[in-house]
């Protein structure tokens, strides 16, 4: 997933949904394909790849995101 100027194109839309874990974790998928999700990378990578989910309710650990207050 690359950052780009926002348009009304649905290919830029994303869906954020929670997993069944406690505390809640989140999965970020493209609006047009919920079978893939943003996968985190480490180091100085400047993009987040989209990879297939094992199944809709069971992402890999690198596809789950945790949001916390600062």
């Amino acid at each position: 997933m690359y950052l780009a100027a926002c348009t009304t194109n649905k290919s830029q839309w994303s869906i954020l949904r929670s997993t069944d874990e406690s505390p809640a974790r989140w999965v970020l998928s493209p609006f047009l394909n919920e079978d893939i999700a943003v996968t985190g990378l480490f180091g100085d990578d400047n993009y987040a790849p989209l990879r297939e989910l094992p199944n809709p309710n069971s992402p890999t650990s690198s596809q789950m995101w945790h949001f916390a207050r600062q």
Side-chain angles (χ1 to χ4, degrees):
M1 182 174 281
Y2 291 93
L3 296 177
C6 187
T7 69
T8 57
N9 188 332
K10 287 186 179 181
S11 67
Q12 290 184 312
W13 295 11
S14 296
I15 294 173
L16 182 66
R17 61 183 190 272
S18 69
T19 65
D20 294 332
E21 295 198 347
S22 183
R25 302 278 174 128
W26 301 87
V27 176
L28 184 62
S29 296
F31 179 79
L32 299 176
N33 188 351
E34 291 187 56
D35 293 332
I36 57 178
V38 174
T39 301
L41 292 180
F42 299 99
D44 60 355
D45 296 313
N46 62 357
Y47 69 97
L50 295 168
R51 294 212 170 98
E52 189 173 355
L53 290 165
N55 74 55
N57 297 315
S58 179
T60 64
S61 59
S62 63
Q63 290 173 313
M64 290 187 289
W65 301 84
H66 175 74
F67 296 96
R69 286 188 191 182
Q70 285 190 319

